Amino acid sequence: MLMQRRSRRAFLRAAAALGTLPLIAPALGQQQKKKLPARGEVLIRNAYVMTMDSATGDIAGGDLHIRAGEIIAVGKGLKAAKATVIDGRGMIVLPGLIETHWHMWNTLLRSMSGDERKYGYFPTSAGIGRHFLPKDMYAGTRLAATEALNAGITTVHDWCHNPRTPEHAEENLRALRESGIRGRFSYGPARGIPVTETVNLADIQRLKGAWDQYSNEGLLTLGVAWRGVQYAVTSPDGKMEFKAIPEEVYRKEYDTARSLGIPLSAHVNIGPKIDYGHVAALDKLGLLYKDLQLIHMISTTPEEVQMVAKSGASVSFSPYTELRIGFGLPNASQFLDAGVPVGLSVDTTTLSGDANMFAIMKAVQNVDNAVAYNEFKLTARRALEIGTILGAKSLGMDDRIGSLVKGKRADLIMVNTRHPNLGVFTDPAHMIVEAAQPANVELVMVDGRILKERGRLTAVDVKQVVAEADAANAAVRKRANWW
Ligand SMILES: [Zn+2]
């Protein structure tokens, strides 16, 4: 393993010497910022429209009229004389995909969870995360947001667990703002802070007070990324243990968030081998409530499912990281059956590699059916609901997004069914969940702005984003003395 790491470093040095890797990151502020496109008036005509609204259903040969970021009408044969017409023939139009828990700064460390304990996910993100500068938060989050939009994800929940200083949070937020994506930014504990220390509550209060400057005209909201009452702490050799958070710490964080009206989110019941009983503990303490998001929930008892259902809290699964790290098998149906809003998440590309919500929907369906030994347990249509309207509900945003109905904000994607991996038009829900890929996403609209058109991102210089992230990755690994 050591040899492999040495040779990788030697390869990187050689590549840099040949000029195939950029060595010097452009200074902050030098990047050519592309402005976000205007919200125009658009008529998408003759598409297969999946509204994901139970009352409306699908509309074959359907139209969608959008003006100033709002859905004006959905139906057939719509008239809109002033609108720019987009031909929807051969396309499936559906709500933008909704991601519900993602450590976006981690995308700077894509695929870096190694093959032995000391290079596992936790030591890697903590070991390198300590050396992150504000500009690294920008570079990682910018790359993540670019990947998201390219893949048809229009809403993210950025679970930021590395705001080492207020500037780190500022730069992370700037990346989200410049991308034009919709999302929640949850302010959490920086990597490696002791369990006796609260998250930076003063900075959360500062941001909340000035949120108008950060919200990008309402596209971004603020949350608190909370550790709950116990949290994973990793020693430098990669040994992970769960430590109890002192009551005065978790109470102060919880009470501050609640008093500011900011939603909380926590990783809980991560797996049967390492973390269980967390939800029961929260219930006993009276801390479960509607705006609390519970992430992973792998080692959850039937009693805990009922506690969650009663409280109105939501759940988020990230099948690719849960499988890859060995937490266990996500089981969405046990929560859906109890009426709990379920959302899906990328979590971290340091583990998962990529941010592909089509694959995530497929994985959650496949695991659910495997666990139930039942081909019909979770249907493709239901998986697609989790990736759209239910995901929106789990974030408390279903009044604005998650389905294509009159009056909602215009967050949508158009999938080209004439690509070879789609090819024949069969059951569109099955096609989207089982066969579609980010490369099939022809058009992406967020709040009425077209951020991807004819398969190309419109508001970002992709080459530059990738080059800056690559340079930042090399620099932070050098500072951290990491492979
Ligand atoms: Zn996570």
Side-chain angles (χ1 to χ4, degrees):
M1 181 46 63
L2 199 62
M3 273 304 290
Q4 279 176 24
R5 294 193 188 288
R6 282 221 186 93
S7 33
R8 172 157 168 85
R9 204 180 297 176
F11 163 76
L12 287 172
R13 257 201 309 270
L18 288 168
T20 48
L21 284 177
L23 274 182
I24 303 159
L28 270 180
Q30 276 184 10
Q31 51 263 48
Q32 293 294 310
K33 261 187 275 166
K34 279 197 180 183
K35 268 181 77 178
L36 290 173
R39 298 174 179 88
E41 183 173 355
V42 170
L43 182 69
I44 299 175
R45 207 182 261 308
N46 275 322
Y48 188 92
V49 181
M50 303 180 84
T51 66
M52 300 314 288
D53 172 56
S54 52
T56 317
D58 295 359
I59 308 166
D63 303 346
L64 212 82
H65 181 199
I66 295 124
R67 190 170 58 217
E70 187 182 323
I71 299 172
I72 301 295
V74 187
K76 280 181 116 155
L78 298 181
K79 301 235 178 333
K82 290 185 196 153
T84 305
V85 175
I86 294 175
D87 186 359
R89 283 175 298 175
M91 304 284 173
I92 296 175
V93 172
L94 68 151
L97 302 174
I98 293 176
E99 194 288 330
T100 63
H101 136 252
W102 188 355
H103 314 293
M104 292 177 81
W105 66 276
N106 269 189
T107 295
L108 203 71
L109 311 176
R110 188 195 301 281
S111 296
M112 279 192 71
S113 300
D115 299 331
E116 56 184 311
R117 201 170 73 176
K118 66 178 173 173
Y119 292 118
Y121 168 68
F122 284 97
T124 296
S125 67
I128 308 184
R130 276 194 193 90
H131 296 272
F132 262 55
L133 301 173
K135 66 179 181 182
D136 301 322
M137 299 300 284
Y138 175 86
T141 307
R142 193 75 168 104
L143 181 61
T146 303
E147 183 184 5
L149 290 167
N150 188 54
I153 299 169
T154 52
T155 295
V156 290
H157 177 198
D158 186 3
W159 215 97
C160 183
H161 57 5
N162 207 25
R164 314 198 70 77
T165 65
E167 290 70 38
H168 285 74
E170 291 276 340
E171 282 301 285
N172 193 120
L173 276 162
R174 184 166 71 89
L176 292 175
R177 223 164 38 239
E178 287 178 8
S179 74
I181 205 160
R182 190 186 299 278
R184 183 195 294 177
F185 172 79
S186 280
Y187 201 118
R191 270 341 227 174
I193 71 162
V195 292
T196 49
E197 208 177 287
T198 67
V199 299
N200 191 341
L201 295 171
D203 205 33
I204 292 169
Q205 277 161 328
R206 174 187 71 87
L207 285 173
K208 175 70 182 169
W211 193 250
D212 277 358
Q213 296 166 37
Y214 295 93
S215 78
N216 215 12
E217 300 172 331
L219 282 175
L220 302 174
T221 58
L222 183 62
V224 168
W226 189 47
R227 285 167 293 184
V229 299
Q230 58 180 29
Y231 200 60
V233 177
T234 320
S235 62
D237 73 343
K239 194 171 183 308
M240 186 167 77
E241 55 174 334
F242 274 78
K243 285 204 172 161
I245 310 274
E247 187 181 354
E248 66 270 22
V249 172
Y250 71 69
R251 281 270 177 205
K252 205 170 169 197
E253 293 172 338
Y254 185 90
D255 291 344
T256 304
R258 298 278 320 248
S259 70
L260 291 170
I262 299 176
L264 285 141
S265 166
H267 299 88
V268 291
N269 291 9
I270 287 172
K273 299 237 170 104
I274 46 173
D275 179 30
Y276 44 83
H278 203 150
V279 170
L282 293 176
D283 184 62
K284 205 168 165 195
L285 291 162
L287 300 179
L288 292 178
Y289 78 113
K290 188 177 174 299
D291 285 341
L292 178 63
Q293 183 198 43
L294 304 163
I295 299 162
H296 296 314
M297 299 290 277
I298 301 295
S299 49
T300 304
T301 64
E303 292 75 30
E304 285 179 312
V305 173
Q306 291 313 313
M307 291 168 193
V308 175
K310 225 172 108 187
S311 71
S314 68
V315 168
S316 177
F317 293 111
S318 56
Y320 278 107
T321 62
E322 287 153 355
L323 294 168
R324 165 72 169 79
I325 204 169
F327 285 162
L329 301 172
N331 185 342
S333 278
Q334 64 175 332
F335 293 95
L336 293 170
D337 293 347
V340 175
V342 172
L344 297 176
S345 47
V346 169
D347 191 357
T348 167
T349 60
T350 308
L351 265 173
S352 71
D354 67 0
N356 179 347
M357 283 293 291
F358 299 108
I360 290 170
M361 291 189 286
K362 181 172 171 170
V364 92
Q365 180 203 23
N366 288 188
V367 170
D368 228 78
N369 288 358
V371 167
Y373 303 109
N374 181 351
E375 180 183 349
F376 311 105
K377 180 67 186 170
L378 189 69
T379 64
R381 177 74 59 168
R382 196 74 172 131
L384 188 53
E385 283 172 6
I386 303 174
T388 55
I389 185 65
L390 269 182
K393 194 172 178 201
S394 79
L395 292 176
M397 297 169 88
D398 53 319
D399 58 334
R400 274 161 290 160
I401 53 167
S403 59
L404 302 178
V405 295
K406 181 176 165 12
K408 281 201 182 183
R409 302 307 295 171
D411 288 13
L412 60 88
I413 64 174
M414 202 156 93
V415 174
N416 191 334
T417 67
R418 292 178 177 170
H419 288 177
N421 64 302
L422 287 165
V424 292
F425 203 101
T426 53
D427 180 311
H430 283 246
M431 290 167 74
I432 296 293
V433 171
E434 294 163 2
Q437 299 170 4
N440 308 131
V441 177
E442 191 82 4
L443 179 141
V444 175
M445 186 184 281
V446 180
D447 211 50
R449 288 186 172 119
I450 296 177
L451 299 180
K452 188 177 185 187
E453 193 171 24
R454 293 188 192 89
R456 298 183 76 87
L457 293 171
T458 61
V460 63
D461 183 337
V462 177
K463 264 191 186 162
Q464 187 177 352
V465 166
V466 171
E468 283 181 20
D470 204 25
N473 169 282
V476 73
R477 277 158 68 181
K478 203 168 168 207
R479 287 199 303 278
N481 195 24
W482 212 262
W483 61 273

